[in-house]
Amino acid sequence: MFRTKTVEQSIRDTEEPEHELKKSLSALDLTVFGVGVVIGTGIFVLTGKIAKQQAGPSVAVAFVVAGAVCALAALCYAEFASTVPVAGSAYTFAYASLGELPAWIIGWDLILELALGCAVVAVGWSGYLRSLLDTAGLHLPEELAGTHDGRFGFDLLACLLVVAVTAVLVLGMKLSSRVTAVIVGIKVTVVLLVIVAGSLFITAANYRPFIPPALPTAHGGGLTAPLSQLMFGFTPSHFGVMGIFAAAAVVFFAFIGFDIVATAAEETRNPQRDVPRGILGSLAICTLLYVAVSIVVTGMVKYTELTTDAPLADAFKAVGHPFYAGVISFGAAVGLTSVCMILLLGQSRVFFAMSRDGLLPQFFSRVHPRFGTPYRSTVALGLVVAVVAGFTSINELAELVNIGTLFAFVVVAVGVVLLRRSRPDLPRAFRTPLVPLIPVASVLASLWLMLNLPAETWLRFAVWMVLGFGIYFVYGRAHSRLGSRLRGTGRIR
């Protein structure tokens, strides 16, 4: 269960003709992918919601905290991705350092994270598009507008979006990167518009108090309270200093996806140099934009008066500029398209890597003879996510996605230390500084944010993990290609 796959074997597997992905990406492409997936739901939706409900103007500090946790993890991802330039991200890294069972668990975790993330983003995109259609006088039948306020329906627009991005991903990574570059250009322009235009309407009084006094959570919190409050006897509360950490655990969703850059390492022309640049560059750009937007929006409108559905657009409406609100809604709808695309890209690459290793059916590990993409896994996952998006309403899924990502961060940080000790001879184009200090700090910071997520999120995560263990022992362990090789040489362990 803890047999490891050597880095050399991982790289040799990528050279098999039927499993070889086409190398076409540069550092710029990777940075665009990173910015494309990170700037989305978090900046267009979570900014107002978290400011109003948990942190007030100090939501900017929450973004800094979440960004710092991601930066620690990014340094660890950069070393692994430059050392093991193979599809699969944290799954592949865990296989090389921790062993097969931990690798399976982290891969299973990533499938959950990216599938739910893609479905939730597609539903959010559908909401923005319906709003634009309503403004134009076009209305979808209620039965095709999704599930809302207890009313059941099928979200046709969300489903069609996932189908469309699946088709683009099948046609090739270079096409995907070009489409993403156009979309990223549009939404970064919209974000800069918010920052520049919004700064003209800032009122200093709206920042007072910058950290609102702590208030007890209604009904005592229960399973909806952060686990840290239940474990250490804190009175469940929002706002105050603890509110900043609780807010950071939620706005962390806004940073989901920078690690997807690592899943594209196998399709990068010079992964040792370009993957670390793509990871760190995209994270730095997005953190700066998030902090600036949160400062501007909470300065434009008192945090108690922010809306939770479309806070950026509604802030401009509140100061008498509906034109800007329309531009922002358009930018959000366009921007969420790239988020959905890149989340599905990351998920298909993790699934592909697990299939190539035999832990999932190898049928899904074939690449398209013309486009050089893992088309079978992409199409299969795209159809599943399209159905899920069609019947999903946005509820507490963001927290479930967050805990999956933070768990992956813990595994990667531990893996860096273990691989340094077991394979000090490996060439490392990028080296995480101050090992083991940085990895340990990454583990502790990720665990702290995990503890600030609701207890019910931990229960859902545990159920998914138990299901994953069952599948591994029923199928994955017996069909592992590494296991077959070791049995053939008499070195099974």
Side-chain angles (χ1 to χ4, degrees):
M1 291 186 295
F2 294 94
R3 54 200 178 205
T4 57
K5 183 178 180 181
T6 65
V7 173
E8 292 81 2
Q9 184 61 56
S10 294
I11 295 175
R12 281 197 297 271
D13 286 348
T14 69
E15 298 168 353
E16 297 173 350
E18 67 271 24
H19 303 307
E20 186 176 4
L21 297 174
K22 187 176 181 180
K23 297 182 182 296
S24 60
L25 301 179
S26 65
L28 179 60
D29 292 325
L30 295 176
T31 302
V32 168
F33 272 135
V35 174
V37 70
V38 174
I39 296 181
T41 304
I43 201 165
F44 289 116
V45 178
L46 287 181
T47 304
K49 178 181 179 181
I50 300 305
K52 183 173 184 176
Q53 298 177 354
Q54 288 185 296
S58 62
V59 66
V61 180
F63 274 117
V64 172
V65 172
V69 174
C70 289
L72 293 172
L75 292 170
C76 298
Y77 268 89
E79 173 169 328
F80 254 130
S82 65
T83 307
V84 194
V86 177
S89 185
Y91 159 76
T92 300
F93 306 156
Y95 214 158
S97 57
L98 298 174
E100 186 172 275
L101 179 60
W104 162 265
I105 290 301
I106 199 64
W108 184 245
D109 164 63
L110 288 172
I111 289 174
L112 170 72
E113 169 203 335
L114 299 175
L116 288 183
C118 184
V120 170
V121 169
V123 174
W125 175 88
S126 174
Y128 271 105
L129 188 57
R130 283 197 307 272
S131 176
L132 290 173
L133 291 175
D134 290 342
T135 302
L138 302 173
H139 306 284
L140 279 179
E142 287 190 1
E143 295 79 10
L144 298 178
T147 302
H148 304 284
D149 302 323
R151 176 182 52 76
F152 180 79
F154 182 75
D155 197 327
L156 177 64
L157 294 177
C159 180
L160 291 178
L161 172 65
V162 177
V163 171
V165 300
T166 298
V168 172
L169 290 174
V170 168
L171 292 176
M173 279 292 283
K174 199 60 184 178
L175 174 62
S176 303
S177 68
R178 288 170 180 166
V179 172
T180 302
V182 174
I183 295 172
V184 169
I186 293 173
K187 66 180 177 182
V188 168
T189 300
V190 171
V191 171
L192 292 176
L193 173 67
V194 171
I195 296 170
V196 175
S199 63
L200 302 176
F201 305 104
I202 290 177
T203 301
N206 290 332
Y207 292 128
R208 295 191 289 268
F210 188 74
I211 303 178
L215 297 173
T217 302
H219 311 299
L223 288 178
T224 61
L227 185 63
S228 60
Q229 295 181 350
L230 299 178
M231 288 176 60
F232 303 121
F234 300 142
T235 300
S237 61
H238 52 283
F239 300 117
V241 174
M242 290 303 297
I244 294 176
F245 289 111
V250 179
V251 300
F252 180 84
F253 181 81
F255 291 93
I256 296 295
F258 81 86
D259 55 318
I260 288 178
V261 172
T263 69
E266 193 174 326
E267 295 160 271
T268 304
R269 288 192 293 266
N270 188 349
Q272 288 78 11
R273 181 195 67 188
D274 293 343
V275 173
R277 291 181 180 181
I279 292 174
L280 299 172
S282 59
L283 181 61
I285 292 170
C286 294
T287 303
L288 181 63
L289 292 176
Y290 277 165
V291 172
V293 166
S294 58
I295 290 174
V296 168
V297 171
T298 53
M300 291 174 66
V301 179
K302 188 71 174 178
Y303 72 92
T304 54
E305 298 171 8
L306 285 170
T307 64
T308 57
D309 294 327
L312 304 192
D314 291 343
F316 279 95
K317 289 180 182 178
V319 295
H321 288 273
F323 169 76
Y324 290 124
V327 172
I328 291 169
S329 294
F330 171 76
V334 172
L336 292 178
T337 305
S338 68
V339 179
C340 188
M341 178 186 296
I342 301 168
L343 287 173
L344 186 58
L345 181 151
Q347 186 193 30
S348 66
R349 269 48 179 183
V350 173
F351 198 92
F352 167 79
M354 296 174 74
S355 173
R356 186 167 59 188
D357 289 331
L359 301 183
L360 289 171
Q362 288 189 281
F363 170 83
F364 296 106
S365 65
R366 301 287 180 177
V367 299
H368 195 282
R370 177 181 175 188
F371 304 123
T373 56
Y375 68 107
R376 292 178 177 177
S377 59
T378 302
V379 170
L381 292 169
L383 292 176
V384 171
V385 173
V387 172
V388 172
F391 292 105
T392 298
S393 60
I394 298 178
N395 197 352
E396 291 88 9
L397 294 181
E399 287 88 351
L400 192 54
V401 175
N402 286 359
I403 196 170
T405 304
L406 288 164
F407 179 65
F409 286 2
V410 171
V411 171
V412 170
V414 172
V416 165
V417 176
L418 293 180
L419 199 62
R420 283 278 188 99
R421 292 183 176 180
S422 64
R423 292 297 306 275
D425 57 306
L426 282 175
R428 292 170 170 84
F430 179 91
R431 297 178 68 88
T432 304
L434 302 176
V435 173
L437 180 61
I438 293 295
V440 169
S442 179
V443 169
L444 294 177
S446 298
L447 287 175
W448 175 246
L449 285 192
M450 290 173 74
L451 290 175
N452 278 279
L453 288 167
E456 63 182 358
T457 300
W458 282 81
L459 293 177
R460 294 184 184 125
F461 182 65
V463 170
W464 179 258
M465 288 293 105
V466 169
L467 179 61
F469 273 104
I471 293 176
Y472 173 75
F473 285 109
V474 170
Y475 181 89
R477 189 176 182 215
H479 293 81
S480 165
R481 291 183 68 192
L482 177 61
S484 297
R485 292 189 186 112
L486 293 175
R487 281 190 291 271
T489 59
R491 293 189 299 111
I492 188 71
R493 50 192 173 94

